[in-house]
Amino acid sequence: MAGNRLKRRNSSQNLTGMKRRRKGRLAELMEFPLDVWFEVFNWLKPLDLLHLARTTKTFRSLLMSRSSSSAWKATREGANVPAPLPGMSEPAWTALVFESICHCCMKAAVHKIDFVLGIRICPACAADQITTDHMVLEETPVEEYSVVASIAQIIVTCIPTSEGRNKSCRRHLTFLRRDFDQSLALYQSLDEAGRGLYFMERQTFMRSWMQHVELCKQWVQDKARKRALELDITRNDRIASIQRKAVELGYEDELLYMSPMQRAKFLRLAGVKRAQPLTDQVWQKIKGDILRYLDNVRVNITSSPIATARKQHYAVKALRSYKNSPDLLPPTQILPSIVDFCEFGVIKGLLNLSPLLFTGDQSFTAINHLLPGLCDTWREALLDKVIVATDDIGALSTLTTYDEKERFLRHPAVGFVCESGYCDAYGSRAGTLLFYPEVLSHPCCTTMRKRPKGMRDPAVELSDGGCRRAWSAESLRGSAIIRVIVMKMLADFGVADGGSMTNEELDAQELYLSCQTCYPVTLGLEGNEAEERLFCGWRSMVHHIYDKGHDPFTISLDIVKPEDFPPAGYRVLRTTAVDARFRCMHCRDYPYEPELPMTLPSIWEHVLVCHGTSDPSLNVDYYEEFGVPPVHPKSTWVVA
């Protein structure tokens, strides 16, 4: 017994000694040189540094001293956080930005920062700590009311205030009670001269404060936008992973042929559209529900609508494979949409085959060698429709070859006006006036803004409520006014043989034109006037003369060559140009294809968000739309 007690005593003493030695070793950390500690601080995140400052008195005294401000600043800048609000220390700013708790009760979770008041505050504390000028006067004793009322109007301009958010505070300025009380006490303690100086200092401070508040709000919006983008990418990656696993299990047809409504239900299944990566464990949990749903889709796979959709899917696949082949990129000729493609005699025959005889990809592979010839025939028929729209009665009968027809349409004087009434909805890319070859890819010729009632065809439906249609020139009208304007313009250019000029040759000259009827415009006050003029390319000038209704026979233009621009005595004021010429190859000919071409930054963002490609490449992820006119020279305002 005594031996056992002795062993336990020795064991207890050893454990105690071990604990003390461990505690002592940690204490030696504080003996490190300050240079080492500051190097460590630079590697920490702002919230980690704040937590470290709360661990011991030594760390607190070190990190809360002014000499440590460089460490706080380094961690803040590393986290891409804006500078503190004026008058706020780095530690207090870190607590405001990163600690999602109420700064009054230190208990309730508060996720939104009130940058105007410089605080996070829960609703319960806001009822006590936030007040209004009206409430302050109500709480003021009667004997002090007149004094406080006159001063309160000055104080509220010297402290952070915001508009009331609830019914009781609406139409009143709200502010922190402590800010008002501190400013009021200080203001009352000053003499007249001190009060004037205090007021001026606070006005300067408040201007700086509100400017920084706007900067912080913009930072929060950018951060939220970036986070939303990250979540969208994660969701799309998860959906793509689920679809890959379903394809591996033999459900490829079900995923390809499901209707938009079925796909919407599929995305609403539990666990499909979450912003979390798909792991094997999660897949095993949601696998059963997903496969049961796809089995229900499979039941209807042999019905007539599904069989038709299946054939159309392979038609779209064959058309996309042909249009996205490297030999046809970048596009140098107009190519058919899925509607025109399905009107080809050979393709129509394949689509009318019995489901038992239709072999999917193999059926279309057998006629791949016929597609170039079919597209050439279709393209020449398109030119005939466009020539008919010019109202030049004799042109179609005299033009026999494809090259002759295209040469006729490429003349700058051959212009068109779209009378569909929908052009304004398409933006600047699809204006009212059109030239060849941009007229071939004009949206009003290939799409209908409203889908016909009762139409249910996934191959031609568009996600915006419209639908594709066979190419049509019914909305186009040749314009004699455009012809007169351009021929007068060519004469002003000194073109000896205007009849042989083409759009491309005229674009290549990059001449800057200015209307003498509308410009220059005098700006400024008397004695400080300035002349402003607009210069633009020939296409924009035709738009200008046509829209303004100028007499094309008497219009006078100033013509400046690119090497002489801007004119002597003028400087460039601003330039406008929207270079929307790119389309997504991944969306091409699918229902969710964007309606209009996009700018380069927009197409990059689209490919990243919708298709998960962070480094998109031309002619791989996106391509340049056929027929988009050049943006040079850009519309440029100059001022003398």
Side-chain angles (χ1 to χ4, degrees):
M1 294 294 291
N4 291 337
R5 285 196 300 269
L6 181 60
K7 290 180 180 180
R8 285 197 297 269
R9 189 182 303 115
N10 292 335
S11 176
S12 176
Q13 290 175 353
N14 291 337
L15 289 173
T16 303
M18 290 175 62
K19 290 180 180 178
R20 288 176 179 172
R21 285 197 295 272
R22 289 174 183 169
K23 186 175 181 180
R25 289 174 183 174
L26 291 175
E28 294 176 359
L29 290 175
M30 302 310 301
E31 298 177 2
F32 285 176
L34 288 180
D35 294 344
V36 175
W37 276 119
F38 276 100
E39 184 65 27
V40 173
F41 296 158
N42 290 337
W43 290 89
L44 297 180
K45 296 181 179 179
L47 189 58
D48 296 333
L49 193 61
L50 184 64
H51 290 165
L52 181 63
R54 294 171 177 171
T55 55
T56 67
K57 293 181 179 180
T58 305
F59 275 127
R60 180 175 180 82
S61 62
L62 174 62
L63 291 173
M64 294 302 171
S65 64
R66 293 183 180 274
S67 60
S68 300
S69 60
S70 60
W72 292 95
K73 183 178 179 181
T75 57
R76 172 176 56 77
E77 293 176 347
N80 195 25
V81 178
L85 289 165
M88 186 174 291
S89 66
E90 291 280 358
W93 176 246
T94 300
L96 176 64
V97 173
F98 292 99
E99 285 194 322
S100 301
I101 59 172
C102 176
H103 287 190
C104 295
C105 64
M106 305 302 291
K107 295 179 181 179
V110 180
H111 299 289
K112 186 176 181 180
I113 306 174
D114 191 332
F115 285 109
V116 176
L117 301 183
I119 195 173
R120 288 182 192 255
I121 190 166
C122 65
C125 294
D128 295 330
Q129 302 298 327
I130 295 180
T131 185
T132 67
D133 51 351
H134 179 69
M135 295 170 62
V136 166
L137 295 178
E138 286 183 347
E139 298 170 359
T140 303
V142 178
E143 59 274 11
E144 301 177 6
Y145 186 88
S146 59
V147 177
V148 174
S150 60
I151 298 177
Q153 297 178 358
I154 300 175
I155 297 300
V156 294
T157 64
C158 299
I159 61 176
T161 59
S162 62
E163 295 183 357
R165 301 168 186 167
N166 51 42
K167 293 182 179 179
S168 61
C169 306
R170 202 165 294 168
R171 299 180 183 177
H172 293 282
L173 294 176
T174 61
F175 43 83
L176 286 175
R177 190 183 298 272
R178 69 185 183 199
D179 290 346
F180 182 85
D181 293 341
Q182 292 173 1
S183 185
L184 177 62
L186 179 59
Y187 189 83
Q188 290 178 331
S189 66
L190 299 174
D191 55 16
E192 289 298 327
R195 289 181 178 183
L197 181 61
Y198 172 78
F199 178 79
M200 294 174 59
E201 291 177 350
R202 291 300 299 181
Q203 293 303 305
T204 303
F205 175 82
M206 287 310 304
R207 284 194 293 270
S208 175
W209 178 278
M210 295 309 298
Q211 289 174 1
H212 203 75
V213 165
E214 293 302 321
L215 178 65
C216 293
K217 289 181 177 180
Q218 185 62 45
W219 171 73
V220 170
Q221 293 176 2
D222 294 342
K223 186 178 179 182
R225 193 179 298 113
K226 181 180 179 181
R227 179 58 179 165
L229 179 61
E230 293 173 352
L231 293 178
D232 286 341
I233 294 174
T234 304
R235 290 190 189 96
N236 292 334
D237 290 344
R238 184 185 180 98
I239 294 171
S241 300
I242 291 174
Q243 291 177 336
R244 283 195 297 269
K245 290 184 177 294
V247 169
E248 292 173 359
L249 295 175
Y251 290 93
E252 181 177 7
D253 288 348
E254 289 71 21
L255 291 170
L256 292 175
Y257 311 142
M258 64 172 57
S259 66
M261 184 178 296
Q262 289 173 326
R263 178 168 180 80
K265 291 181 179 179
F266 171 75
L267 295 177
R268 287 197 297 267
L269 292 175
V272 173
K273 204 175 179 181
R274 288 188 178 177
Q276 296 175 353
L278 182 70
T279 62
D280 292 337
Q281 184 178 2
V282 173
W283 168 245
Q284 293 302 323
K285 288 183 178 180
I286 64 176
K287 175 181 176 181
D289 293 339
I290 293 175
L291 298 187
R292 277 192 293 272
Y293 179 78
L294 294 178
D295 286 335
N296 292 333
V297 175
R298 177 177 289 177
V299 171
N300 300 322
I301 200 69
T302 56
S303 63
S304 179
I306 298 297
T308 302
R310 177 171 176 266
K311 294 177 185 178
Q312 289 176 338
H313 160 73
Y314 281 107
V316 172
K317 189 176 179 181
L319 178 61
R320 279 175 46 81
S321 177
Y322 174 70
K323 292 168 73 170
N324 291 341
S325 60
D327 296 338
L328 298 179
L329 292 171
T332 56
Q333 292 179 317
I334 188 69
L335 293 171
S337 68
I338 183 60
V339 181
D340 293 302
F341 184 70
C342 291
E343 290 296 321
F344 293 172
V346 176
I347 306 302
K348 190 179 293 186
L350 289 178
L351 296 177
N352 290 331
L353 280 177
S354 167
L356 299 176
L357 299 177
F358 186 77
T359 58
D361 286 332
Q362 297 178 0
S363 298
F364 287 94
T365 302
I367 54 95
N368 276 347
H369 64 287
L370 301 175
L371 294 183
L374 294 173
C375 290
D376 289 341
T377 303
W378 168 82
R379 198 176 292 115
E380 187 166 0
L382 239 64
L383 296 191
D384 292 341
K385 295 180 182 178
V386 177
I387 292 173
V388 170
T390 63
D391 291 335
D392 191 333
I393 300 175
L396 193 59
S397 60
T398 58
L399 303 173
T400 57
T401 66
Y402 181 88
D403 291 339
E404 290 176 349
K405 296 175 182 178
E406 192 172 39
R407 185 76 182 183
F408 168 77
L409 292 173
R410 287 187 182 276
H411 193 277
V414 180
F416 302 87
V417 177
C418 178
E419 297 180 331
S420 67
Y422 295 120
C423 282
D424 291 342
Y426 288 106
S428 59
R429 160 67 180 88
T432 304
L433 273 59
L434 302 164
F435 298 92
Y436 186 87
E438 67 172 319
V439 66
L440 298 180
S441 57
H442 183 56
C444 294
C445 299
T446 57
T447 58
M448 298 174 63
R449 294 291 293 173
K450 292 184 178 180
R451 188 183 307 157
K453 189 175 182 180
M455 179 182 182
R456 292 292 182 270
D457 190 348
V460 300
E461 291 178 6
L462 296 174
S463 57
D464 64 350
C467 66
R468 294 186 176 93
R469 66 171 179 177
W471 199 97
S472 172
E474 63 182 18
S475 64
L476 300 178
R477 175 178 59 83
S479 175
I481 298 177
I482 295 179
R483 177 177 293 276
V484 174
I485 294 173
V486 174
M487 295 305 294
K488 174 64 167 57
M489 192 179 293
L490 292 176
D492 291 344
F493 294 167
V495 178
D497 187 9
S500 62
M501 176 70 71
T502 65
N503 293 329
E504 291 79 4
E505 293 170 349
L506 194 53
D507 288 331
Q509 296 186 20
E510 296 188 358
L511 297 175
Y512 286 88
L513 310 177
S514 181
C515 175
Q516 293 184 1
T517 304
C518 300
Y519 298 96
V521 176
T522 302
L523 304 175
L525 301 175
E526 184 177 354
N528 191 26
E529 297 92 347
E531 287 187 357
E532 184 183 60
R533 305 185 69 179
L534 171 64
F535 283 87
C536 57
W538 73 271
R539 295 173 187 263
S540 298
M541 182 53 64
V542 173
H543 275 263
H544 172 80
I545 298 172
Y546 184 89
D547 292 338
K548 296 293 185 180
H550 294 325
D551 185 354
F553 295 100
T554 60
I555 190 73
S556 297
L557 302 176
D558 287 327
I559 305 170
V560 180
K561 295 181 179 180
E563 60 269 19
D564 298 329
F565 189 82
Y570 286 86
R571 59 181 176 85
V572 174
L573 185 62
R574 61 186 183 277
T575 301
T576 60
V578 179
D579 193 11
R581 58 177 59 244
F582 300 102
R583 286 189 177 274
C584 177
M585 292 188 65
H586 303 286
C587 299
R588 197 174 191 180
D589 291 307
Y590 283 137
Y592 46 81
E593 179 180 14
E595 187 176 14
L596 295 175
M598 292 179 278
T599 61
L600 188 60
S602 298
I603 195 69
W604 280 18
E605 182 179 358
H606 167 82
V607 173
L608 173 62
V609 174
C610 298
H611 307 291
T613 302
S614 59
D615 187 18
S617 302
L618 182 64
N619 296 332
V620 176
D621 300 292
Y622 63 95
Y623 66 97
E624 187 173 344
E625 171 85 313
F626 169 75
V628 179
V631 295
H632 295 286
K634 301 177 181 179
S635 296
T636 305
W637 279 263
V638 297
V639 63

